[in-house]
Amino acid sequence: MRLTAHSRMGQAPPSSVHSSLGRSAWLTGQHLTQEITVEQWLAEFLNRKRKIEVTTRRSYEGHIRLYLNPYLGRLRLDQLKVSDIALMFEQIEEFNDTIAERRADPDPQVRASVKYRRPISIATMHRIRATLRHALNMAMRQDRLIDFNPAAVLEMAAHVRPKPLVWTDDRVRAWQNNFRAYRQAEKQRRGGQRVDPIDAYTSVPRPSSVMVWTPAHTRLFLEEAQRHRLFALYRLIALRGLRRGEACGLRWKEVDLDGHTLTVNWQLVQLAWQVHEGTPKTDASVRTIALDTDTAQVLRAHRQRQLQERLAMGEAWTESGFVFTQPDGSRLHPQHVSDQFLWPAYLAGLPPIRLHDLRHGGASLMLAAGVEMKVVQETLGHTSSAFTADTYTSVYPQVATAAAEKTAALLFGKEDRAEPGKLISIRGWQSD
């Protein structure tokens, strides 16, 4: 099955976005006409979007190059219909089925044909539609090339944001059993050869794509991570909810250890494997964050170790000004930070989470400690407290139990009988 809408529409796919840029160079000012194609308008749209973040531009370009131009590019802009866009997504879903079928095929050559192809998620489809809707809105409102935006009325399957789940005792036990079974099966499949522990650790399915450690889990992780040179970075994410890029982009001139504050002004953004420095996601993301006394002390100790590394490197040291660096002073690669995070988590005997989930846990810790939602929102750098409550908070079981007991005590005069949840034995399962 070929992934192309043009075979069904009787059209040939365009060669590339770059060729369309050349063909549409004349599409400026008064030369814009209603006879232009979707491909030509999308090129004009990109040309006008000059003052946008690098990540946003890369996203627009990818959606246009990989999906919008191949499926819709040859259609006239003023003749684009809702059914044309719906057909594009229908064929993307068909190709998703093809990927799944070929991955399960017994023929290794068939499986190899989709080795580097990933199914397109509902979330990505919504982002593709958002790019097209934005471009068509510009054509409609700025140039009046169309009087109707078909992308705005297209009905799509709802994109449900994954709900964060806490690693409760039952979920931990079930995951540990699955981990043992997976590792044993992999060892047998490889003829008794060693199975990479981190590969197995990250391959076993989790109850949700977004998992959150309990406070006891987070404490164990931080105890184990103290031996890691990026311990201070992981502590900032766990307690203060920094994004990975914000932590990697933090500079010493933005840290006030005496005043116990740091200011988020920059972030390091990973595009493919390239790293770019940019401003935070929104105006709300530019913020000053308070530090507790212990975290300030951890940062002081980190600063001293960095100065020792600088003396050891001598002239080979790179003075980047970043708080968290490579041993030679150069800036970190964000992916390296995520990869390194897995080791202390594994060695501590904890169930796996993503580094970004440590930020989810930070929000939950603040709320469990009784911090007001508005303060949590500002600490995380969100534009609204509703988004914070809906996306970044998980109620720990023991917190919910305590709340129930306190409610009953208020009504019936009983004393608070809530007890903190017990942490099951979690060390030792890795080597079973």
Side-chain angles (χ1 to χ4, degrees):
M1 183 183 300
R2 298 186 60 189
L3 181 61
T4 172
H6 299 284
S7 59
R8 295 173 63 173
M9 296 180 182
Q11 300 165 358
S15 57
S16 69
V17 170
H18 298 292
S19 61
S20 69
L21 286 171
R23 288 195 300 272
S24 63
W26 55 274
L27 296 172
T28 56
Q30 68 271 25
H31 298 296
L32 286 169
T33 67
Q34 291 185 329
E35 286 74 29
I36 65 173
T37 64
V38 171
E39 180 182 8
Q40 290 172 325
W41 174 253
L42 290 175
E44 175 68 10
F45 163 74
L46 278 179
N47 186 55
R48 293 186 185 185
K49 301 296 289 185
R50 298 181 184 276
K51 296 181 179 180
I52 57 175
E53 295 289 336
V54 175
T55 51
T56 304
R57 175 170 293 279
R58 182 68 63 88
S59 177
Y60 286 160
E61 290 174 345
H63 294 162
I64 291 170
R65 175 174 56 86
L66 296 174
Y67 309 106
L68 299 178
N69 275 351
Y71 289 106
L72 308 173
R74 293 290 182 174
L75 297 174
R76 269 183 47 168
L77 181 66
D78 63 338
Q79 295 177 356
L80 182 65
K81 303 185 296 294
V82 175
S83 59
D84 297 324
I85 305 172
L87 178 59
M88 172 182 69
F89 289 115
E90 176 186 328
Q91 292 181 316
I92 290 175
E93 290 176 347
E94 288 177 0
F95 191 68
N96 281 348
D97 294 338
T98 299
I99 293 175
E101 291 169 2
R102 292 184 178 181
R103 283 181 174 176
D105 197 286
D107 187 338
Q109 291 186 341
V110 174
R111 294 197 303 272
S113 68
V114 292
K115 183 177 181 180
Y116 299 107
R117 301 302 298 268
R118 297 175 58 187
I120 306 304
S121 67
I122 290 295
T124 299
M125 292 187 204
H126 275 269
R127 288 191 287 269
I128 294 168
R129 195 267 292 266
T131 298
L132 179 61
R133 183 177 62 228
H134 183 30
L136 295 181
N137 276 337
M138 183 181 291
M140 183 171 62
R141 295 170 181 172
Q142 293 187 8
D143 299 272
R144 302 190 182 279
L145 297 173
I146 54 176
D147 54 14
F148 169 71
N149 187 338
V153 299
L154 174 70
E155 293 187 2
M156 297 180 65
H159 166 44
V160 180
R161 188 181 298 274
K163 180 178 177 60
L165 294 179
V166 178
W167 274 115
T168 59
D169 289 356
D170 289 342
R171 289 170 181 154
V172 172
R173 290 191 188 97
W175 184 89
Q176 288 176 352
N177 291 334
N178 291 338
F179 175 87
R180 295 188 190 99
Y182 175 86
R183 196 169 184 181
Q184 184 62 32
E186 278 294 291
K187 190 173 182 178
Q188 292 177 354
R189 188 179 71 83
R190 300 183 186 190
Q193 294 182 354
R194 176 182 178 274
V195 178
D196 181 85
I198 296 300
D199 182 57
Y201 184 64
T202 56
S203 297
V204 178
R206 308 165 198 181
S208 171
S209 59
V210 180
M211 298 300 298
V212 178
W213 284 331
T214 66
H217 290 151
T218 303
R219 183 172 61 251
L220 281 176
F221 167 77
L222 292 176
E223 289 174 356
E224 180 67 39
Q226 287 184 66
R227 293 185 284 273
H228 199 286
R229 65 184 302 274
L230 295 180
F231 167 60
L233 182 149
Y234 296 136
R235 183 182 173 100
L236 279 178
I237 295 177
L239 270 66
R240 299 283 73 199
L242 266 68
R243 300 177 178 91
R244 181 184 70 171
E246 293 171 347
C248 292
L250 186 64
R251 286 179 166 83
W252 282 116
K253 65 181 181 180
E254 296 159 342
V255 178
D256 182 357
L257 292 177
D258 293 329
H260 288 193
T261 63
L262 63 81
T263 302
V264 176
N265 284 320
W266 302 96
Q267 64 175 345
L268 297 185
V269 180
Q270 180 180 337
L271 298 174
W273 189 250
Q274 299 298 317
V275 178
H276 301 268
E277 183 177 336
T279 55
K281 295 175 65 175
T282 63
D283 290 342
S285 297
V286 178
R287 62 203 188 276
T288 297
I289 297 174
L291 302 173
D292 62 277
T293 301
D294 288 344
T295 298
Q297 285 298 108
V298 167
L299 283 170
R300 287 184 189 277
H302 173 79
R303 177 62 169 162
Q304 290 302 313
R305 285 192 295 270
Q306 190 180 71
L307 292 174
Q308 292 172 4
E309 290 177 340
R310 178 178 181 177
L311 289 174
M313 291 297 297
E315 294 183 357
W317 175 264
T318 300
E319 188 55 61
S320 64
F322 289 110
V323 174
F324 304 108
T325 65
Q326 298 285 3
D328 66 352
S330 59
R331 70 184 184 186
L332 289 169
H333 194 293
Q335 188 58 48
H336 171 76
V337 176
S338 294
D339 293 341
Q340 289 293 305
F341 164 75
L342 295 171
W343 275 108
Y346 174 78
L347 293 174
L350 295 167
I353 65 171
R354 305 170 305 164
L355 177 58
H356 191 68
D357 295 337
L358 200 60
R359 170 173 156 88
H360 289 267
S364 299
L365 284 170
M366 283 184 268
L367 290 170
V371 179
E372 294 182 2
M373 181 64 70
K374 181 64 175 177
V375 177
V376 177
Q377 169 212 328
E378 293 175 349
T379 302
L380 295 175
H382 291 157
T383 56
S384 73
S385 56
F387 181 83
T388 306
D390 182 58
T391 307
Y392 282 92
T393 60
S394 301
V395 177
Y396 297 126
Q398 59 267 41
V399 175
T401 301
E405 293 290 352
K406 288 178 180 179
T407 302
L410 178 65
L411 182 61
F412 299 109
K414 297 179 181 179
E415 294 183 0
D416 187 356
R417 297 171 298 176
E419 294 182 359
K422 295 181 180 179
L423 182 65
I424 67 170
S425 177
I426 59 178
R427 291 190 183 273
W429 54 264
Q430 306 102 314
S431 57
D432 287 354

